Amino acid sequence: MPIFSKPQYSTVTVKKKDIPKDLWTKCPKSGEIIYNKQLKENLMVVPGSGYHFQLGARDRILSLLDSETMVEQDAGIESQDPLEFKATASYPQKVKQYQSKTGEKDTVVSATGTLLGTPVSIAAMDFRFMAASMGSAAGEKITRAIERGLAEGRAVIIVSASGGARMQEGILSLMQMAKTSAALARLGEARLPYISVLTNPTMAGVMASFASLGDVIVAEPEALIGFAGPRVIKETTQQDLPPGFQTSEFLMEHGLVDRIIPRSEMRAQLGLLLKALYRAPATQKVG
Amino acid sequence: MIETDQYTLEFEKPLRALAEQLETLSRLSDESKVDVSLEINAIKTKLEQTQHTIYGNLTAWQRVQLSRHPKRPYALDYIERVFDDFQELHGDRRFRDDAAIVGGTAFLHGQPVMVIGQQKGRNTKENLKRNFGCPNPEGYRKALRLMEMAEKFSLPVITLIDTPGAYPGIGAEERHVAEAIAVNIREMSALKTPIITIVIGEGGSGGALGMAVADCVMILENAYYSVISPEGCAAILWKDRANAPQAAEALKFSPPYLKNFGVVDEVLDEPLGGAHRDPDTAAETLKNAISCCLRKLQKLSNEALLQLRYEKFRAIGRYSENATK
């Protein structure tokens, strides 16, 4: 017995620390094991199964814009704690945790640039940051991205992913839905195209505002998209949910999503759509 | 007349006890012809004092309970009292009529208006029809149809908000309730006619906002307007719906906070103990507030109106901004 009382493999433990974590990832769809570096190079899509992992907001924008054209906008915007929200954890603490985890100030990254030559104002949501919940900071950045499109005569692209409005900022989060949608009304009047890109998952308050308002709404394959969460629906209705319920494919079949586009083709296809829909305003110089 | 059954909520227990004492005493005095008027008056005073103490210091959770009170006036109760000659108009011209939302033309001091309200049911049978005030997509699309009609014929729009939220159902998702709400929000932000919203009971999240992008947003003092129900918030953050009272505090959705955040423009007083104690007086308050607000809005040109509406919502939110490199 004494032989077990003191661990004899302490050196092994030390050695374990030297092995980089997260070297491999298992595909939840096919079970195949994929080298992380390869996964990253493939924009977080599993080559074999086509499973789309979530992609960070910054990587997303870089994957869509013409190289070297990205100019980040409104990078200094951060959440506050207007409700002095206290639940099981304090809200500012939570925000700090996610900031150090992701390196982003909040869930939205926005930029201007060109996409296959078309001048765009683009915003993307990062699901790793508090489930990409929309509070005042996210709402402000999205609204400014739309207003910038309007002011500078750019097409607008918003890549959505979100669990919904951010509870910790209460009613102010709900009002971001109004703010962003009102800006889109003005963009529409100026006949500047807005393409909404839905990624896994896009739900609730984000879906019930700008994400549903694209002139064109495209989705990545097999994303969860909807208003109410599937569990809430099941509990409320006591009904079994139909197969594929609230997936991109289900939504295309039911007439909301225009096209399903795999990530590898997103840039090329958005480029074609913009080429067809975008006309540079006569009075403005853009680029 | 004393009604003990008007004190049905948990925090109204002390009032119920006093009301019961009063009832017993008055019965006693009727039967025995003993003069207990002194005692009766003492209890009446006590009852009045206790009412002021309890109703004057309501917690957020207690207000939620009042906003959901089974006897609380609903949209049609107000429409009937505030407006004349309401002509209900049904259906979204797409799928069906959603009875969780009612709307139509009416007159306010002789002036034609379009009034649209979210409608709960008073009993099980009514609630089957009204879906407990939880609209489906066609309800929002009907509301938009009526609002566009109002714009076409230059009628101001008045919306009454009272919903726990849009209905979380399979059909609602299949017919894109999120899109219906989003389109309403966008179109209301640019509708070329004055819009007035009053939250009369529950202002449940996106389901409320889908009819509440207005030039002037008012709320009754025992109503609430929130990004999520207190129960929903408690279930997520505390992992237990029983923590709803704490969630109600944390969410700061009581009317004074909403006014401070710029989300509502005015808080309307209710009769002591809640609007259900005196629906006529509550309706009178609503009528005065709507009339007053309408007079102000109708002085504005459509351009000014839309610009102010845009700026009002544009300004909502609290964030910090640091200069970056």
Side-chain angles (χ1 to χ4, degrees), chain A residues 6 11 13 30 42 45 52 56 79 86 106 118 142 146 148 166 178 180 182 198 201 213 221 232 279:
Chain A
K6 192 168 182 273
T11 48
T13 320
S30 63
N42 205 37
V45 178
H52 285 55
S79 286
K86 274 194 193 68
D106 207 300
T118 301
I142 298 269
I146 298 163
R148 187 168 290 114
R166 188 172 291 174
T180 52
L198 310 179
L213 295 174
V232 173
R279 297 287 171 272

Side-chain angles (χ1 to χ4, degrees), chain A residues 83 144 147 186 246 254, chain B residues 173 176 252 307 310 314:
Chain A
L83 271 58
R144 286 195 194 180
E147 288 178 336
R186 293 190 159 189
Q246 294 183 316
H254 283 84
Chain B
E173 296 287 326
H176 315 303
K252 298 214 164 59
Q307 184 59 26
Y310 189 84
R314 182 67 187 85

Side-chain angles (χ1 to χ4, degrees), chain B residues 9-204:
Chain B
L9 301 173
E10 183 63 30
F11 65 88
E12 292 176 318
K13 252 185 182 167
L15 296 171
R16 187 159 63 238
L18 286 168
E20 273 163 7
Q21 281 181 33
L22 257 185
E23 208 172 66
T24 316
L25 272 180
S26 19
R27 208 183 315 120
L28 197 77
S29 83
D30 287 352
E31 285 164 7
S32 63
K33 307 227 162 28
V34 181
D35 184 16
V36 286
S37 58
L38 262 172
E39 287 82 351
I40 286 184
N41 280 338
I43 295 174
K44 272 188 179 162
T45 314
K46 182 92 195 290
L47 182 65
E48 216 165 279
Q49 283 168 349
T50 315
Q51 277 185 340
H52 280 278
T53 316
I54 289 181
Y55 296 129
N57 298 284
L58 291 172
T59 65
W61 179 241
Q62 287 167 345
R63 282 188 201 278
V64 170
Q65 289 171 283
L66 281 178
S67 77
R68 297 171 177 168
H69 198 286
K71 290 188 174 162
R72 193 167 175 87
Y74 297 146
L76 284 172
D77 299 310
Y78 286 117
I79 291 174
E80 173 188 302
R81 287 170 171 82
V82 172
F83 304 98
D84 300 313
D85 299 325
F86 175 58
Q87 289 287 297
E88 187 172 355
L89 303 172
H90 294 273
D92 68 340
R93 305 256 173 105
R94 294 286 182 273
F95 184 68
R96 70 169 169 209
D97 186 43
D98 182 356
I101 291 177
V102 296
T105 56
F107 296 85
L108 180 68
H109 304 296
Q111 186 198 339
V113 298
M114 187 68 78
V115 55
I116 308 165
Q118 296 167 332
Q119 180 66 34
K120 292 180 176 175
R122 192 68 67 193
N123 50 46
T124 311
K125 194 181 159 219
E126 270 182 39
N127 264 322
L128 278 176
K129 179 180 170 193
R130 305 290 184 190
N131 204 27
F132 298 87
C134 296
N136 271 285
E138 40 281 8
Y140 293 100
R141 292 184 179 127
K142 168 170 72 178
L144 182 61
R145 178 173 81 86
L146 298 182
M147 288 190 271
E148 285 171 345
M149 193 194 303
E151 180 184 55
K152 182 172 176 182
F153 298 107
S154 301
L155 311 185
V157 174
I158 292 130
T159 70
L160 304 177
I161 303 302
D162 190 11
T163 180
Y167 186 60
I170 294 171
E173 296 287 326
E174 286 174 336
R175 299 188 299 280
H176 315 303
V177 65
E179 191 261 1
I181 290 171
V183 168
N184 276 24
I185 294 172
R186 182 187 64 197
E187 296 307 310
M188 286 183 85
S189 79
L191 198 79
K192 294 184 192 75
T193 193
I195 308 176
I196 297 172
T197 289
I198 303 115
V199 184
I200 57 171
E202 294 189 85

Side-chain angles (χ1 to χ4, degrees), chain A residues 4-283:
Chain A
F4 294 113
S5 66
K6 192 168 182 273
Q8 297 298 305
Y9 40 81
S10 55
T11 48
V12 178
T13 320
V14 171
K15 222 180 168 183
K16 236 182 176 175
K17 280 184 186 162
D18 291 339
I19 300 170
K21 276 190 275 175
D22 309 326
L23 199 58
W24 305 89
T25 302
K26 191 177 174 186
C27 172
K29 195 177 169 189
S30 63
E32 76 188 272
I33 303 287
I34 173 168
Y35 189 35
N36 275 353
K37 199 170 155 244
Q38 193 192 355
L39 191 59
K40 246 193 136 169
E41 278 164 5
N42 205 37
L43 297 172
M44 303 303 288
V45 178
V46 180
S49 68
Y51 181 84
H52 285 55
F53 280 100
Q54 282 144 0
L55 182 63
R58 199 166 292 275
D59 290 341
R60 169 78 64 177
I61 292 175
L62 285 169
S63 79
L64 293 174
L65 293 184
D66 301 334
S67 64
E68 316 271 299
T69 66
M70 175 180 172
V71 179
E72 188 174 359
Q73 303 289 345
D74 306 317
I77 291 182
E78 259 183 274
S79 286
Q80 288 190 323
D81 186 17
L83 271 58
E84 291 169 5
F85 192 87
K86 274 194 193 68
T88 41
S90 102
Y91 174 48
Q93 265 171 8
K94 245 187 153 173
V95 168
K96 279 210 182 74
Q97 279 170 19
Y98 282 102
Q99 285 178 335
S100 53
K101 188 181 139 193
T102 61
E104 302 294 351
K105 286 210 167 68
D106 207 300
T107 175
V108 172
V109 177
S110 58
T112 50
T114 60
L115 197 163
L116 292 171
T118 301
V120 296
S121 177
I122 184 168
M125 305 181 82
D126 206 313
F127 197 76
R128 299 168 305 162
F129 199 108
M130 271 185 103
S133 55
M134 174 168 61
S136 301
E140 181 66 22
K141 284 183 86 165
I142 298 269
T143 306
R144 286 195 194 180
I146 298 163
E147 288 178 336
R148 187 168 290 114
L150 183 63
E152 299 179 4
R154 296 169 181 275
V156 173
I157 297 173
I158 301 174
V159 185
S160 293
S162 182
R166 188 172 291 174
M167 278 181 292
Q168 290 86 346
E169 291 181 40
I171 193 77
L172 295 175
S173 299
L174 189 75
M175 293 301 136
Q176 304 310 307
M177 296 165 64
K179 193 160 120 177
T180 52
S181 303
L184 284 172
R186 293 190 159 189
L187 188 79
E189 279 163 26
R191 296 179 190 273
L192 286 160
Y194 161 45
I195 301 182
S196 170
V197 181
L198 310 179
T199 70
N200 188 40
T202 303
M203 302 295 292
V206 165
M207 197 55 198
S209 57
F210 57 86
S212 281
L213 295 174
D215 294 301
V216 178
I217 303 175
V218 304
E220 289 193 333
E222 295 174 276
L224 179 74
I225 298 162
F227 181 63
R231 211 194 50 214
V232 173
I233 297 173
K234 225 176 156 178
E235 277 169 16
T236 310
T237 63
Q238 300 291 322
Q239 276 178 288
D240 288 329
L241 305 179
F245 185 61
Q246 294 183 316
T247 58
S248 311
E249 293 71 17
F250 183 89
L251 285 165
M252 190 162 83
E253 193 181 314
H254 283 84
L256 186 85
V257 165
D258 287 285
R259 285 181 76 77
I260 294 172
I261 306 178
R263 198 171 290 160
S264 58
E265 294 167 34
M266 190 62 80
R267 177 174 141 82
Q269 295 201 21
L270 292 186
L272 281 177
L273 287 165
L274 290 175
K275 194 178 163 190
L277 302 177
Y278 177 79
R279 297 287 171 272
T283 50

